[in-house]
Amino acid sequence: MAGPWDAVLRDEAALRQAAVVAVDAALLEGVLMRTDAEPNASEVVSYAPFTLLPSAVPRALFEQAYAVQRDFNLLVDAISRDKEFLERTLASTIKVDDFTARLFKIHQQVLEEGLAQSVFLGINRSDYMFDCGAGSLPALKQIEINTIAASFGGLASRTAAVHGRVLRVLGKPEEAARLLPNDPARGLAMGIAKAWELYGSPSAVVMFLVEEAQRNIFDQRCVENELWDRNIRVIRRRFRDVYEQGSLDGSRRLYNWEARLLLERSRAVKCPDIATQLAGTKKVQQELSCPGTLEKLLPGHAEAVKRIRATFAGLYSLDVGEEGDQIAATAIASPERFVLKPQREGGGNNLYGEELRQVLERIKDSPERTSYILMDKIEPQPAVNYLLRARSPLKASKCISELGIFGVYVRQGTELVLNEAAGHLLRTKAVEHADGGVAAGVAVLDTPYLV
């Protein structure tokens, strides 16, 4: 099938000229990251990697992804409130996965003490690919839903302007005008601001809990600036700061902080709170695909259940037992059909092909296999594009794309007071890379061009 840029891609001289303009446009628009050499200083920065051309995305699937996002917000919130579901679903996982077990222990402790928190803020990103594996029309299939690793809303708000400039330079002004407006930074800030308002203290601050190395600070600053524009004070702290300086007052308000348990025991609005982070585990994702599970979590929402289920790829449990034995054997025999996923968010964790087969061979008779799930491998249709990275040569690559839709919701007690889709993120990578996002150095930022 012909792509929208086939003629443009034949003019290498024009593409090289456009690439120079594109890099300057990215710097001008603030599509920025700190450098590997100086991740905590902004004296020298570079542009975040991005595609030269916006990538074609089927309009119907793009609209489907937006239409189901509010349903996914409802679902994540319902999971986070269902103590029995989380206990039952994660029972086998917490026996063999220490990270999930530690999260679950904190979850149990705060429930036993009684939740101090009354306002709940959820920010998530549901990621999809367009599956052409069945040989028919492309279908929207969910990769995962991220309840904590949901970044790049800020830079995604600025990327469309860069691609619009590129298309105009290439003589495509009408196509440039058709690029959709996109402002996740504002949408995410709207949710944070609503939670801040409901917290009920004009002196309350929003704290960004950040990593030691802060290469992606400008993405976060986009959201911060939206909050400052609403006269909401923002501070930035590392986990180390929380641990060393944190304390609770008598009414369990949180002033400057101690590590994760201290956060969870406070009245502060966490995003995510521990239950919502557990809702984003891969074992929960797999359990949701089981018959009847969605209906139990979302009673009275038959249409939402239908929309959600339509996005599921095949998901399989590796729990100990005959069913787990059979699917493990199938994946060992045909590893190219599957993805092996651990209980982590963010890129770079999944296993494919020969590596998948080797790991499953090693753990197939061990309870350790229950720390993973299997998913059918999605087969998107590659397209040619140029991936612009600092100090990298300009060359054409066969690429595949992943669409993420940001969701934001706020609940006060049992009442959902905000539930919205907050914007989108398109990331693209060369086909030779099986896994990994922008922060992992594999994918690049992109803009959807609807076809």
Side-chain angles (χ1 to χ4, degrees):
M1 186 177 78
W5 318 127
D6 286 356
V8 167
L9 287 166
R10 289 192 287 270
D11 190 342
E12 188 172 339
L15 290 170
R16 290 194 174 278
Q17 179 188 1
V20 174
V21 173
V23 168
D24 288 343
L27 295 168
L28 185 66
E29 294 292 340
V31 184
L32 303 172
M33 293 182 80
R34 287 174 172 170
T35 64
D36 280 324
E38 295 287 343
N40 291 319
S42 296
E43 281 78 10
V44 178
V45 299
S46 186
Y47 59 92
F50 65 101
T51 60
L52 177 59
L53 299 167
S55 290
V57 168
R59 179 183 296 274
L61 302 189
F62 182 85
E63 292 173 352
Q64 180 188 355
Y66 260 94
V68 75
Q69 184 55 47
R70 295 175 75 236
D71 303 327
F72 272 113
N73 291 346
L74 280 176
L75 178 61
V76 170
D77 183 54
I79 295 167
S80 73
R81 298 165 66 182
D82 195 324
K83 173 175 175 285
E84 290 74 22
F85 174 79
L86 285 173
E87 282 184 355
R88 183 175 65 255
T89 300
L90 297 174
S92 60
T93 303
I94 61 177
K95 293 176 183 176
V96 293
D97 187 279
D98 183 63
F99 179 78
T100 306
R102 287 172 182 255
L103 290 178
F104 193 77
K105 185 177 180 181
I106 294 173
H107 174 56
Q108 286 183 310
Q109 183 170 339
V110 295
L111 288 180
E112 288 168 3
E113 291 181 5
L115 287 175
Q117 182 176 347
S118 60
V119 177
F120 297 83
L121 167 65
I123 290 175
N124 64 71
R125 195 188 68 229
S126 187
D127 292 338
Y128 307 90
M129 279 185 169
F130 313 117
D131 187 26
C132 301
S136 57
L137 292 173
L140 186 77
K141 292 300 173 186
Q142 189 185 57
I143 305 293
E144 62 185 350
I145 190 161
N146 299 283
T147 60
I148 188 166
S151 59
F152 287 104
L155 297 190
S157 302
R158 296 163 182 246
T159 309
V162 177
H163 284 119
R165 180 74 53 81
V166 169
L167 290 180
R168 290 183 178 91
V169 166
L170 290 169
K172 300 285 185 180
E174 293 180 5
E175 289 83 349
R178 288 205 287 269
L179 295 179
L180 295 176
N182 183 38
D183 200 352
R186 177 165 297 214
L188 301 182
M190 174 184 65
I192 298 170
K194 187 63 176 179
W196 176 86
E197 173 195 327
L198 294 174
Y199 186 76
S201 172
S203 62
V205 301
V206 172
M207 187 187 79
F208 279 49
L209 191 60
V210 299
E211 298 173 304
E212 293 289 330
Q214 299 176 44
R215 281 198 68 207
N216 202 25
I217 191 169
F218 299 105
D219 180 52
Q220 300 155 12
R221 292 291 197 203
C222 293
V223 182
E224 286 183 39
N225 287 348
E226 291 283 345
L227 295 169
W228 282 109
D229 287 347
R230 292 169 167 81
N231 296 315
I232 298 173
R233 182 173 172 77
V234 179
I235 62 174
R236 298 174 65 86
R237 295 292 184 270
R238 300 162 300 174
F239 255 120
R240 181 174 13 139
D241 303 321
V242 172
Y243 180 77
E244 291 173 353
Q245 303 169 22
S247 61
L248 299 178
D249 70 358
S251 61
R252 296 166 80 177
R253 293 184 177 87
L254 191 54
Y255 296 111
N256 226 358
W257 325 63
E258 196 191 343
R260 185 63 186 265
L261 176 59
L262 188 68
L263 298 177
E264 291 302 318
R265 294 180 63 234
S266 74
R267 280 184 54 203
V269 181
K270 276 77 68 179
C271 183
D273 63 285
I274 201 90
T276 304
Q277 186 171 351
L278 289 168
T281 57
K282 300 302 179 287
K283 182 60 181 174
V284 167
Q285 181 187 14
Q286 178 264 311
E287 184 67 22
L288 294 175
S289 69
C290 295
T293 300
L294 290 177
E295 287 82 356
K296 290 176 183 175
L297 288 164
L298 294 175
H301 292 276
E303 289 303 311
V305 165
K306 184 178 178 181
R307 287 189 292 266
I308 290 170
R309 185 166 284 132
T311 69
F312 285 169
L315 293 152
Y316 311 99
S317 170
L318 287 170
D319 283 356
V320 174
E322 184 179 351
E323 184 179 335
D325 292 344
Q326 289 177 349
I327 190 61
T330 301
I332 289 169
S334 304
E336 73 284 354
R337 291 173 46 199
F338 299 96
V339 182
L340 188 63
K341 307 177 83 169
Q343 310 300 316
R344 299 290 182 276
E345 291 189 17
N349 299 305
N350 298 334
L351 301 173
Y352 301 79
E354 181 60 20
E355 190 176 13
L356 178 156
R357 189 191 65 76
Q358 290 176 4
V359 170
L360 268 186
E361 280 278 18
R362 178 176 59 81
I363 65 173
K364 65 181 180 181
D365 298 319
S366 165
E368 184 186 347
R369 79 184 195 195
T370 62
S371 64
Y372 295 87
I373 68 164
L374 273 170
M375 188 176 88
D376 286 340
K377 187 178 179 185
I378 297 168
E379 301 287 352
Q381 179 67 45
V384 174
N385 210 326
Y386 288 77
L387 309 183
L388 302 184
R389 290 189 175 91
R391 296 175 295 280
S392 294
L394 185 68
K395 64 174 185 177
S397 299
K398 274 190 168 183
C399 301
I400 54 176
S401 298
E402 186 171 322
L403 173 68
I405 306 296
F406 292 97
V408 59
Y409 65 86
V410 177
R411 173 168 50 85
Q412 186 173 35
T414 60
E415 181 188 0
L416 206 61
V417 296
L418 179 71
N419 179 14
E420 298 292 345
H424 57 267
L425 167 70
L426 192 69
R427 294 167 297 167
T428 293
K429 62 188 176 187
V431 292
E432 57 263 29
H433 294 292
D435 194 29
V438 179
V442 173
V444 306
L445 299 171
D446 200 346
T447 297
Y449 180 78
L450 300 189
V451 295

